[in-house]
Amino acid sequence: MNLIENLKWRYATKKFDPSRKVSEADLEKIKEAVSLSASSYGLQAYKVLIIEDLELRKKLQPASWGQSQITDASHLVVFCNYTKVNPEVIDGYLKLKATTQGLNFEDLKGYGDFMKSKIGALPEDAVKAWTAKQTYIGLGNLLAASAELKIDTCPMEGFESDQYEEILGLSKKGLSAAVIATIGYRSKEDATKDSKKVRKPVTELFETIK
């Protein structure tokens, strides 16, 4: 199972080689892996920003606790969750579903009404928390896909979401910065690159209930 070996290979890269860039071909593979991520109702209530622009990343670095990965990595990936899921979002998904699967849009009305009633009953902060959780599933696929391509990553929660939202103009788009990741290639000078991976034993992490 190559996935296991790839996951053993990856680690949260602390120092990237700024001279090495992820190719467009590999970037497209990573994007496809993220797009295939599971999400509640299939809504994909988030948007993923891939930031290559170095000057923009320099502006974001102070809002990222000054971490060098922000500017040294090949790309900065920002997972932005929807702050609201209005009926138009749900209808848009149902239209896509109808077109993709050759269905009649009207036949999906009951499913749409169900989603609207469930999501509409949630307080705004609960909706925001729910959509933010969806981004982490996409992040997991990004980490796994990158590892398969031998591309290094660093998932990061060490950043100021409100400052990201201001710099990137997210609020006016109905988005919030949930989690970020940097992708690229490890530096030979990264002191953590040869450290043994620390994980709980499987026997401690899992409990089987029969």
Side-chain angles (χ1 to χ4, degrees), residues 2-11 147 186 195 197:
N2 291 336
L3 176 62
I4 299 298
E5 293 306 311
N6 292 332
L7 293 179
K8 288 179 179 179
W9 173 85
R10 72 150 300 277
Y11 72 108
R186 65 190 68 175
S195 299
K197 193 179 290 292

Side-chain angles (χ1 to χ4, degrees), residues 126-184:
V127 171
K128 188 175 179 180
W130 171 62
T131 56
K133 289 178 182 178
Q134 308 305 306
T135 66
Y136 283 78
I137 304 174
L139 172 65
N141 274 7
L142 177 140
L143 300 181
S146 296
E148 182 172 337
L149 296 166
K150 292 297 182 283
I151 293 171
D152 290 294
T153 56
C154 185
M156 306 166 74
E157 290 184 314
F159 71 101
E160 303 300 330
S161 180
D162 57 341
Q163 293 181 38
Y164 263 62
E165 288 160 17
E166 181 178 351
I167 294 170
L168 297 173
L170 300 179
S171 297
K172 62 185 179 182
K173 299 176 183 177
L175 299 171
S176 176
V179 65
I180 65 176
T182 48
I183 63 174

Side-chain angles (χ1 to χ4, degrees), residues 20-27 30 74-75 151 183-185:
R20 298 188 66 190
K21 298 299 178 184
V22 175
S23 71
E24 285 299 321
D26 283 345
L27 193 59
I30 293 171
S74 175
H75 296 76
I151 293 171
I183 63 174
Y185 298 94

